[in-house]
Amino acid sequence: MSAGIEVVRAGALTTVQDEGRFGHAHLGVGRAGALDAPSARLANRLAGNPVGAALLETTVTGCAVRPDRAVRAVVGGAPCRVTVDGRPVAWGAAVHVPAGAVLDAGPAAHGVRSYLAFAGGLEPQPVLGSRSADLLSGLGPDPLRDGDVLPLGPPRTGGPPATAAVPWPGVPAELVLPLLLGPRHTWFTADALRTLTTAAYRVSEQSNRIGLRTEGPALDRARQGELPSEGMVLGAVQIPPDGRPVVFLNDHPTTGGYPVVGVVPEPALAGAARVTPGTVVRFVRTAH
């Protein structure tokens, strides 16, 4: 009988994620995958897994699970209180969870998303080459509910030893996003482009895995009318009718009809997964 992990407390939004699914945008299927990829990869390495193994991504409130076999586990990403059967254990390092014990990752003390990796990785049925949940398309495993059981793979032999402490990415006090202008920046006035790259926006509470929404000055258009639907990429900064930028994240739609004023390069997007509502966001024009 294969090993499994029972969900004791699902939390506000906990999903299974890996590196994501690639090469299917022409079918209308986006990437999905862990929003904070550096934290997810580090959690997997400390658990002795390949960096792309499936793990849990929590949102703000954390989650609690019970494995039916002893397992090495790592809780990283957003700092939080971690316990095993009520006893405090290390955050950000490998810990031993006995069979039947409850591993509880509490609410995030800073940031938004924590990651729970388990030796052997989670093994729900893959869809188009990935085990990731895509909230927009509905592909992959559903968000976790209390009582769910997730298959757990066998631990990899010869994995790295447990590490007591490693440096984890911090939560930015201010999110600075490099911006490559285009392809539709000419749809906006010169004053609007100046505002975009000088104003202080803030992270909206309406942000999610689809996109980081902002609050701040609206951008005025130089050109009105509708844009035919066109392909969208990860990091695209779309300007909806309210004029306030939306930065597309992993679960973004593959097409859209609102103009894209610029694109944030992928390496800068991990910070967008970490910041809390109200955090200042600044767009800085870059040429590469």
Side-chain angles (χ1 to χ4, degrees):
M1 182 176 179
S2 61
I5 290 181
E6 178 189 0
V7 179
V8 176
R9 178 176 63 84
L13 177 63
T14 302
T15 58
V16 176
Q17 300 295 339
D18 55 20
E19 295 280 88
R21 50 184 63 85
F22 296 83
H24 303 292
H26 64 294
L27 301 175
V29 176
R31 178 187 301 189
L35 284 193
D36 184 355
S39 292
R41 291 167 185 159
L42 180 52
N44 267 323
R45 283 199 296 268
L46 293 179
N49 295 331
V51 294
L55 75 177
L56 296 180
E57 177 183 278
T58 72
T59 308
V60 180
T61 60
C63 72
V65 297
R66 179 188 289 115
D68 63 9
R69 69 163 165 84
V71 66
R72 180 201 295 185
V74 176
V75 180
C80 63
R81 185 172 186 266
V82 185
T83 62
V84 173
D85 273 352
R87 296 185 297 274
V89 296
W91 167 87
V95 299
H96 176 73
V97 183
V102 174
L103 172 67
D104 191 304
H110 308 287
V112 179
R113 294 173 176 89
S114 298
Y115 290 90
L116 283 70
F118 306 92
L122 300 175
E123 293 191 339
Q125 187 68 29
V127 178
L128 295 177
S130 170
R131 306 182 197 275
S132 288
D134 185 333
L135 299 187
L136 185 64
S137 72
L139 292 179
D142 291 333
L144 267 57
R145 296 170 296 182
D146 293 357
D148 285 350
V149 176
L150 298 169
L152 181 62
R156 186 172 62 162
T157 58
T163 303
V166 294
W168 285 81
V171 179
E174 180 175 291
L175 182 62
V176 178
L177 295 176
L179 182 71
L180 293 161
L181 285 185
R184 303 299 176 190
H185 61 290
T186 58
W187 281 54
F188 299 90
T189 67
D191 283 344
L193 297 180
R194 191 175 304 111
T195 295
L196 176 64
T197 55
T198 58
Y201 287 86
R202 290 190 180 274
V203 177
S204 167
E205 290 186 352
Q206 303 305 311
S207 299
N208 53 29
R209 283 185 50 85
I210 295 171
L212 182 139
R213 295 183 178 273
T214 64
E215 299 171 347
L219 303 183
D220 294 326
R221 280 203 194 182
R223 177 176 174 179
Q224 302 302 317
E226 296 299 320
L227 182 70
S229 187
E230 57 187 1
M232 293 290 134
V233 299
L234 182 67
V237 181
Q238 193 181 66
I239 311 299
D242 69 3
R244 292 167 178 85
V246 178
V247 183
F248 276 173
L249 301 179
N250 294 43
D251 288 2
H252 71 86
T254 56
T255 61
Y258 300 135
V260 171
V261 69
V263 177
V264 175
E266 183 177 347
L269 293 176
R274 300 174 190 144
V275 291
T276 56
T279 301
V280 170
V281 182
R282 297 185 187 276
F283 296 95
V284 177
R285 186 172 177 178
T286 183
H288 54 80

